[in-house]
Amino acid sequence: MHPPPPDAGVAMDFGQNSLFGYMEDLQELTIIERPVRRSLKTPEEIERLTVDEDLSDIDRAVYLLSAGQDVQGASVIANLPFLMRQNPTETLRRVLPKVRVSWYEEVLHVASVEMQLTAAVSFLTILQEESMSVHTCAHSFLQVILLHLEHRDTGVSNAWLETLLSAVELLPKETLRHEILNPLVSKAQLSQTVQSRLVSCKILGKITNKFDAHSIKREILPLVKSLCQDVEYEVRSCMCRQLENIAQGIGAELTKNVVLPELIELSRDESGSVRLAAFETLVNMLDMFDTDDRSQTILPLVKSFCEKSFKADESILISLSFHLGKLCHGLYGIFTPDQHLRFLEFYKKLCTLGLQQENGHNESQIPSQIVEQEKKYTSVRKNCAYNFPAMIVFVDPKNFHMELYSTFFCLCHDPEVPVRHTIAICFYEVSKLLNSGVHLIHKELITLLQDESLEVLDALINHLPEILELMSTGGENSVQENKFSSVPDLIPALTAAEQRAAASLKWRTHEKLLQKYTCLPHIISSDQIYYRFLQRMFTIMMTNNVLPVQRAAARTLCIFLRYNRKQEQRHEVIQKLIEQLGQGKSYWNRLRFLDTCEFIIEIFSRSFFCKYFFLPVIELTHDPVANVRMKLCYLLPKVKSALKIPADMHLLQQLEMCVRKLLCQEKDKDVLAIVKKTVLELDRMEMSMDMFQKKNYEKDLLDQEKEREELLFLEMEQLEKEKHQSDGRLASDKSFEKKRRDSRTSTQSLSKNLPISVPGPSSSTASTSKEIKKSKLTRSQSFNNQAFHAKYGTLDKCASKSSTLAHTSSVSGLVRTAMLSLTDDSFRTRNASSVPASFSPNPVMPSTSRGPGNTADPKSSGSKDAQPRKATLKSRKSNP
């Protein structure tokens, strides 16, 4: 929030008595302010600062440099890069001669800090853009830059130094030697100021790579040694940090013989800042040393640093924790098992530093010291979280659960937000490294998704799709497709994260999260998305007040709709979009409907849009709100691009009719202007044909692929239904077989006591029972096929179904004959009365046309066929 104006408190006091305050007092305030505004510049000063407006930029710059005041000269310096880009020839010929060293000596020497910074930035811009030749730059600017390197203001000195270091990359070797290196011999002496020696250190580190090894050894290394042994710790620390750049220019042999001894000596320096600089330089230079140097020289130094960091020198602790991953990686090949274990335990100890102190802090510490110590410990744990992926490589991902899981758990549950924020950033790297063992950190993913800090959530969702993809498949090399069956808390955690982001003021985090939700169709099932996420997208679109969030929800909803596998659910979503948004009472909802249609054109095939959304979009040409009609006009070219000729000729005619009505009947001038522009754009558009064209080949091919995928989803839905039906048939057949075996057992026991005369040989009885089983199974399959094809089948499948029914009726007759031979007339009467109840049709199934003589058989299933048979056996028992 902006701070209130100076008199805001006065005005607010006046407003306590009345809405607008006392007008007399307000008028007095305005009267007081007028003389202040008038006293800024006198008429004489304004006259001196006035410049003819007809002058060109070059003429104005020349005039201001010649006769203008200092502030006007500074404006010319600030505009030098612009003048060089606009008219380099005239700037070099007329302006730069005015920008001479004598002018700078007169002006910049006594100029303000702002003018100094402006000049430094202006020269740096010209050097970076290479607007003039190197010789001209050196002639015009180099002496000025060198002159102001030792400015009393540190900010100004650093600005000029940055300009010089950038110029080093462009200047030739001879210029560097004569203009920069030779003066450094005197500037680096102990008799010079500390600031002069600090500047010499930075320049030496930059120019080393511009000379050969012999020149470096003869001219530069003596200065380097002298500065490494300077009496001021600031100079020693600064020179120590430049040793890495110097080592890159002198080669491995000189680095081992000259630079490494200096680093070893500096690592034992009395100043903590020098020791810290030596440690960081050693870590950065690990690749430059061979195995013997690393094992015999550097490793003992590192061990000493680690031991002292806890005991006597906590100043190095933050840097050590930050570089620990790089250090372990550089020394990985030379660790013994015992050293490996010690470094790992040292890292674990750093990860919990400050969390396991007895009785809090020492009583002798004052509160300010406690706060500083807690900040230091938090920084250490944050650096440990940053290095966690490197430590997984250090211990090998196979040993993660045994060695590092408890540490990872502590970092994810750390009480400080910066630590959890850092581990959330690294979560994707950790997931990739674990690969097939990624299931070990499922719970930590849920924990970070449910974190109370939105900063942690924002860091985690940057790679949320990749993380969920790895966890759903069990790693990059796994073929598992379990759809997160082992993480039941994932969906509640995702929904809670979205609601927490929606309730906050950080709408960008909410928008990002909704955008990342587009990966969910590849992670969880379509039903889970439909029941847990899709309705939430509707709610956000209709109730949220932030437009980017609403658009993100609309696009995510379209992705959900595209990958939904149930036609009934898809139709419901489409109907909601049209009724609640496209035909909604609020014009804001109708605007969001047009946004959604734009995403549908992008995501779905042309035929899908034309089938469901073309007419609802066109109807908005009659919308009473001008903003809706205006937005529709912007969408019309994309609507026309979704049409194919000649199949969609009738839709094209409707579109043209609506545009003509808008052109003739529109009364709003802004909308009418957009309509006219839209008409011209529509006339220039080329229509897509049903056949592929060379110009639109890629677009047509992409649209064909989208349409093929949409048809594939429909086929997958049918296959899933067929699978459920076949599973039901298998269960029914198993139940039928069990009941048939029970009935055969009871029949055999009855046949021993009851004389039954069955015509024909005994073999015919066995064949008849087989035909009965076959008949019932055929009727069950026929019924399932009939119920399925009545809803989804084609004409060819219906023809094959009719032949199946004919075969079923013939077999059914044989079964009925065999059953009649086993029963008497009294049972036949009772059985006839019981059949309709047991074979009642399912009201959910679609009705189909059947013959009058075959009404019961197609409706029966395998599990229901055993009921009449049990009734037959009971009647025979009652009538011995």
Side-chain angles (χ1 to χ4, degrees):
M1 296 179 62
H2 297 288
D7 297 323
V10 180
M12 286 160 50
D13 290 338
F14 292 150
Q16 291 177 358
N17 297 325
S18 65
L19 183 61
F20 299 102
Y22 298 103
M23 296 303 297
E24 299 83 3
D25 296 332
L26 293 176
Q27 290 175 358
E28 289 179 3
L29 288 176
T30 57
I31 293 172
I32 293 173
E33 289 180 353
R34 286 174 185 171
V36 176
R37 286 197 294 267
R38 289 176 180 174
S39 64
L40 293 176
K41 294 295 180 183
T42 63
E44 293 78 10
E45 291 175 333
I46 294 175
E47 182 66 27
R48 286 198 302 269
L49 293 172
T50 302
V51 181
D52 188 2
E53 296 181 357
D54 296 332
L55 293 176
S56 64
D57 293 337
I58 300 295
D59 293 336
R60 186 183 299 109
V62 172
Y63 172 77
L64 294 177
L65 289 173
S66 302
Q69 296 189 6
D70 293 346
V71 65
Q72 293 173 317
S75 69
V76 175
I77 298 298
N79 287 327
L80 268 180
F82 171 75
L83 294 175
M84 287 299 302
R85 289 190 297 265
Q86 186 184 45
N87 196 343
T89 304
E90 289 297 313
T91 303
L92 291 172
R93 188 176 68 86
R94 299 181 59 192
V95 179
L96 277 185
K98 297 290 182 180
V99 188
R100 291 299 180 187
V101 176
S102 59
W103 188 87
Y104 286 110
E105 289 176 350
E106 296 175 1
V107 179
L108 282 180
H109 187 68
V110 294
S112 62
V113 173
E114 291 77 10
M115 184 179 290
Q116 293 271 359
L117 293 174
T118 301
V121 171
S122 179
F123 296 163
L124 179 60
T125 304
I126 293 174
L127 289 171
Q128 291 174 343
E129 294 180 353
E130 299 182 3
S131 303
M132 61 178 67
S133 65
V134 176
H135 176 74
T136 305
C137 286
H139 178 70
S140 302
F141 302 141
L142 186 57
Q143 292 301 322
V144 181
I145 296 171
L146 293 173
L147 184 66
H148 298 90
L149 283 177
E150 300 179 26
H151 195 276
R152 60 183 178 274
D153 187 273
T154 306
V156 173
S157 176
N158 291 335
W160 285 113
L161 180 60
E162 184 181 355
T163 304
L164 177 63
L165 297 180
S166 299
V168 166
E169 299 293 336
L170 304 174
L171 296 175
K173 184 186 299 184
E174 292 303 319
T175 303
L176 290 174
R177 184 184 299 276
H178 292 95
E179 299 293 338
I180 298 178
L181 182 58
N182 291 340
L184 278 182
V185 177
S186 61
K187 295 287 185 183
Q189 300 301 319
L190 288 174
S191 58
Q192 298 293 325
T193 63
V194 174
Q195 185 176 356
S196 177
R197 302 203 297 274
L198 290 174
V199 170
S200 300
C201 293
K202 295 178 181 179
I203 294 176
L204 283 174
K206 191 68 175 180
I207 66 173
T208 302
N209 294 331
K210 303 292 289 187
F211 297 97
D212 57 276
H214 179 71
S215 300
I216 295 173
K217 183 178 180 180
R218 187 185 62 189
E219 301 178 22
I220 295 179
L221 286 183
L223 292 176
V224 171
K225 289 183 178 181
S226 174
L227 292 170
C228 284
Q229 299 172 2
D230 196 276
V231 294
E232 297 291 337
Y233 75 91
E234 296 175 348
V235 179
R236 297 196 302 272
S237 175
C238 182
M239 192 66 252
C240 182
R241 294 186 182 278
Q242 302 300 322
L243 290 179
E244 180 184 358
N245 296 329
I246 293 172
Q248 292 175 353
I250 62 178
E253 184 177 356
L254 283 176
T255 298
K256 180 178 181 179
N257 297 329
V258 178
V259 176
L260 185 57
E262 293 294 333
L263 278 173
I264 295 173
E265 185 176 353
L266 290 171
S267 66
R268 302 188 181 100
D269 196 274
E270 61 182 8
S271 173
S273 62
V274 178
R275 294 195 301 270
L276 179 62
F279 170 75
E280 294 179 354
T281 304
L282 274 173
V283 174
N284 294 331
M285 292 175 59
L286 280 176
D287 295 337
M288 301 181 186
F289 302 115
D290 55 23
T291 304
D292 293 337
D293 291 333
R294 281 184 284 175
S295 60
Q296 298 175 6
T297 305
I298 297 177
L299 184 57
L301 280 176
V302 172
K303 291 171 60 178
S304 175
F305 276 119
C306 294
E307 292 172 358
K308 291 180 179 179
S309 62
F310 276 109
K311 296 179 180 179
D313 192 4
E314 287 191 350
S315 61
I316 203 173
L317 202 57
I318 296 177
S319 177
L320 180 60
S321 62
F322 181 76
H323 291 92
L324 194 60
K326 186 188 296 185
L327 191 63
C328 291
H329 177 72
L331 299 176
Y332 183 76
I334 63 173
F335 278 126
T336 63
D338 182 59
Q339 292 171 340
H340 188 281
L341 182 60
R342 289 180 62 184
F343 267 88
L344 180 60
E345 292 300 323
F346 177 75
Y347 172 76
K348 292 180 181 180
K349 189 175 182 180
L350 291 179
C351 289
T352 57
L353 186 65
L355 300 179
Q356 299 176 353
Q357 294 182 350
E358 295 182 359
N359 300 324
H361 302 274
N362 297 330
E363 296 180 357
S364 60
Q365 290 180 320
I366 60 177
S368 60
Q369 292 177 344
I370 294 175
V371 172
E372 289 298 322
Q373 191 176 40
E374 287 180 351
K375 289 182 179 179
K376 183 187 298 184
Y377 291 161
T378 300
S379 299
V380 170
R381 299 198 303 274
K382 176 183 175 182
N383 292 337
C384 290
Y386 168 77
N387 283 302
F388 194 83
M391 298 308 296
I392 292 180
V393 177
F394 183 67
V395 303
D396 195 307
K398 296 179 181 178
N399 301 322
F400 168 79
H401 188 266
M402 182 175 59
E403 300 289 351
L404 284 177
Y405 175 74
S406 59
T407 303
F408 186 69
F409 178 86
C410 291
L411 292 174
C412 291
H413 291 81
D414 195 276
E416 297 297 331
V417 172
V419 181
R420 303 198 304 273
H421 177 267
T422 305
I423 200 65
I425 294 175
C426 300
F427 200 94
Y428 174 52
E429 292 296 328
V430 173
S431 302
K432 285 198 302 183
L433 290 171
L434 293 181
N435 201 3
S436 58
V438 71
H439 64 278
L440 297 172
I441 57 173
H442 281 173
K443 293 181 180 179
E444 282 64 40
L445 173 64
I446 304 301
T447 299
L448 294 177
L449 282 173
Q450 295 175 339
D451 196 280
E452 60 183 7
S453 173
L454 283 180
E455 295 180 9
V456 177
L457 178 63
D458 187 80
L460 182 66
I461 62 180
N462 286 327
H463 293 285
L464 185 62
E466 295 86 352
I467 294 172
L468 295 180
E469 182 67 24
L470 286 172
M471 290 198 169
S472 65
T473 58
E476 294 179 349
N477 301 324
S478 177
V479 295
Q480 183 181 359
E481 295 183 359
N482 57 355
K483 291 287 183 180
F484 272 100
S485 59
S486 60
V487 193
D489 296 334
L490 174 68
I491 295 178
L494 289 174
T495 55
E498 187 276 322
Q499 292 174 0
R500 195 165 60 255
S504 69
L505 297 178
K506 297 182 179 180
W507 62 265
R508 288 181 177 85
T509 300
H510 192 198
E511 178 192 15
K512 187 195 298 185
L513 183 60
L514 293 177
Q515 291 171 349
K516 301 299 182 181
Y517 275 3
T518 56
C519 72
L520 292 182
H522 307 289
I523 307 300
I524 59 180
S525 66
S526 177
D527 284 339
Q528 289 172 322
I529 291 175
Y530 178 78
Y531 290 110
R532 300 301 299 270
F533 293 96
L534 207 145
Q535 183 57 43
R536 178 60 182 168
M537 298 302 110
F538 267 111
T539 304
I540 295 172
M541 291 172 62
M542 299 185 68
T543 60
N544 198 281
N545 296 325
V546 182
L547 179 58
V549 173
Q550 287 183 317
R551 288 179 59 85
R555 193 177 192 283
T556 303
L557 185 143
C558 292
I559 297 292
F560 290 167
L561 178 61
R562 172 168 174 75
Y563 291 99
N564 190 285
R565 295 188 177 184
K566 293 188 177 181
Q567 190 171 6
E568 182 179 351
Q569 294 178 357
R570 286 195 297 270
H571 288 170
E572 182 182 348
V573 174
I574 293 170
Q575 185 178 2
K576 278 188 176 182
L577 284 173
I578 295 173
E579 293 179 355
Q580 299 183 17
L581 294 181
Q583 300 172 359
K585 296 181 180 180
S586 172
Y587 85 97
W588 191 256
N589 290 340
R590 300 197 294 275
L591 289 174
R592 300 293 73 76
F593 175 73
L594 293 176
D595 288 334
T596 307
C597 289
E598 186 176 356
F599 293 133
I600 288 173
I601 294 174
E602 172 193 349
I603 296 170
F604 289 85
S605 64
R606 298 169 184 168
S607 59
F608 182 90
F609 172 78
C610 294
K611 181 178 180 181
Y612 296 106
F613 293 96
F614 180 85
L615 293 180
V617 169
I618 295 301
E619 289 177 358
L620 292 179
T621 54
H622 307 290
D623 196 277
V625 179
N627 285 354
V628 178
R629 301 195 302 274
M630 189 181 300
K631 190 173 185 64
L632 174 63
C633 292
Y634 287 120
L635 186 63
L636 286 179
K638 293 185 178 181
V639 172
K640 185 177 180 180
S641 66
L643 303 179
K644 290 183 180 180
I645 301 301
D648 298 328
M649 181 60 72
H650 62 292
L651 299 180
L652 178 62
Q653 293 174 355
Q654 294 184 24
L655 177 63
E656 293 175 347
M657 184 182 299
C658 292
V659 173
R660 281 196 295 269
K661 287 183 179 180
L662 277 176
L663 200 58
C664 298
Q665 300 176 5
E666 183 58 53
K667 297 180 181 180
D668 189 283
K669 60 180 182 180
D670 297 327
V671 179
L672 185 59
I674 297 175
V675 170
K676 292 179 180 179
K677 293 181 181 179
T678 304
V679 169
L680 296 177
E681 186 176 355
L682 292 174
D683 290 339
R684 289 193 298 266
M685 288 181 62
E686 294 184 3
M687 295 296 299
S688 299
M689 308 297 290
D690 286 339
M691 300 298 293
F692 283 94
Q693 295 175 310
K694 293 183 179 180
K695 294 182 179 180
N696 301 322
Y697 180 78
E698 293 183 359
K699 293 182 179 179
D700 293 340
L701 193 63
L702 180 61
D703 181 73
Q704 188 184 44
E705 182 67 20
K706 291 178 180 178
E707 190 170 354
R708 188 187 66 81
E709 289 180 0
E710 291 164 6
L711 294 176
L712 181 61
F713 288 143
L714 293 177
E715 293 178 1
M716 291 172 65
E717 180 184 6
Q718 294 181 7
L719 290 175
E720 289 178 359
K721 288 186 177 181
E722 289 180 354
K723 181 180 179 181
H724 290 316
Q725 290 179 357
S726 63
D727 292 342
R729 285 199 303 269
L730 289 175
S732 176
D733 290 343
K734 290 180 181 179
S735 176
F736 166 73
E737 287 292 334
K738 182 178 179 181
K739 292 181 179 180
R740 188 180 65 83
R741 287 194 298 269
D742 295 341
S743 63
R744 286 185 60 184
T745 304
S746 59
T747 302
Q748 290 175 0
S749 62
L750 286 174
S751 62
K752 295 178 181 179
N753 300 324
L754 297 176
I756 302 175
S757 61
V758 179
S762 60
S763 61
S764 64
T765 304
S767 62
T768 304
S769 64
K770 291 182 180 180
E771 290 177 353
I772 293 174
K773 178 181 176 182
K774 182 178 179 181
S775 171
K776 294 181 181 293
L777 183 58
T778 306
R779 285 205 308 273
S780 174
Q781 294 174 350
S782 173
F783 168 71
N784 286 321
N785 291 332
Q786 187 177 7
F788 175 78
H789 293 310
K791 191 170 183 180
Y792 299 106
T794 59
L795 293 176
D796 296 336
K797 293 182 180 180
C798 289
S800 63
K801 180 191 67 178
S802 62
S803 63
T804 305
L805 288 175
H807 175 69
T808 305
S809 61
S810 63
V811 177
S812 177
L814 179 60
V815 175
R816 196 175 286 111
T817 304
M819 292 295 294
L820 289 175
S821 64
L822 296 172
T823 57
D824 56 0
D825 293 337
S826 61
F827 168 71
R828 188 181 299 115
T829 305
R830 294 173 59 188
N831 190 24
S833 62
S834 63
V835 167
S838 60
F839 286 82
S840 59
N842 189 351
V844 179
M845 292 296 181
S847 60
T848 56
S849 59
R850 299 177 178 85
N854 196 20
T855 57
D857 291 342
K859 297 179 182 179
S860 62
S861 61
S863 62
K864 295 181 180 180
D865 284 321
Q867 295 179 3
R869 186 151 188 138
K870 288 182 179 180
T872 304
L873 296 174
K874 289 180 180 179
S875 70
R876 292 177 63 182
K877 286 182 179 181
S878 61
N879 297 317

